[in-house]
C-alpha cells in the first residue's frame, strides 16, 4: 500500500535493504509495518538521518486513506 500511495503521489520510494550511507543521502527515510503504519527514521548508527517528515506525513495520510477504503470495500463485500 505504501509504495502504491507513493507512486500515486509522484513520490519516488524504494523498498529494500540499505547501507547506512544510502540512508544519509536520502531525502527522507521511513519504515512501515502493520502496527506502526509509517514511521520516520531519525537516526541510524547514532548518526542523524535527514528527515523533515513532510513526505512521511503525506504517505502516512495516504496509507490511512487506502486502509479505510479497503475496509469499506471489504465490509461492502461481506454485506452483499
Amino acid at each position: 500500500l505504501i509504495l502504491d500511495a507513493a507512486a500515486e503521489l509522484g513520490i519516488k520510494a524504494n523498498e529494500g535493504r540499505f547501507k547506512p550511507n544510502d540512508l544519509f543521502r536520502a531525502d527522507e527515510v521511513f519504515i512501515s509495518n502493520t502496527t506502526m503504519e509509517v514511521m520516520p527514521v531519525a537516526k541510524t548508527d547514532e548518526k542523524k538521518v535527514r528527515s523533515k517528515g513532510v513526505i512521511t506525513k503525506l504517505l502516512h495520510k495516504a496509507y490511512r486513506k487506502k486502509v479505510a477504503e479497503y475496509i469499506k470495500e471489504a465490509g461492502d463485500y461481506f454485506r452483499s
Side-chain angles (χ1 to χ4, degrees):
L1 289 176
I2 301 293
L3 296 177
D4 292 340
E8 290 170 13
L9 293 169
I11 297 169
K12 182 180 175 186
N14 296 305
E15 175 182 29
R17 296 175 62 123
F18 301 97
K19 295 180 181 177
N21 283 338
D22 297 328
L23 304 179
F24 300 134
R25 287 193 303 266
D27 292 329
E28 285 194 33
V29 179
F30 64 87
I31 57 174
S32 65
N33 63 37
T34 305
T35 305
M36 295 187 315
E37 297 178 347
V38 183
M39 181 70 78
V41 173
K43 63 173 135 176
T44 184
D45 291 343
E46 298 305 316
K47 295 179 185 173
K48 287 185 178 181
V49 175
R50 181 178 17 165
S51 188
K52 295 176 185 154
V54 176
I55 295 169
T56 304
K57 286 178 186 174
L58 282 172
L59 288 175
H60 190 236
K61 183 176 179 180
Y63 170 83
R64 287 190 149 215
K65 181 179 178 188
K66 285 190 164 293
V67 168
E69 290 168 356
Y70 176 79
I71 291 169
K72 182 185 179 319
E73 289 174 11
D76 291 346
Y77 173 80
F78 288 111
R79 280 192 287 278
S80 59

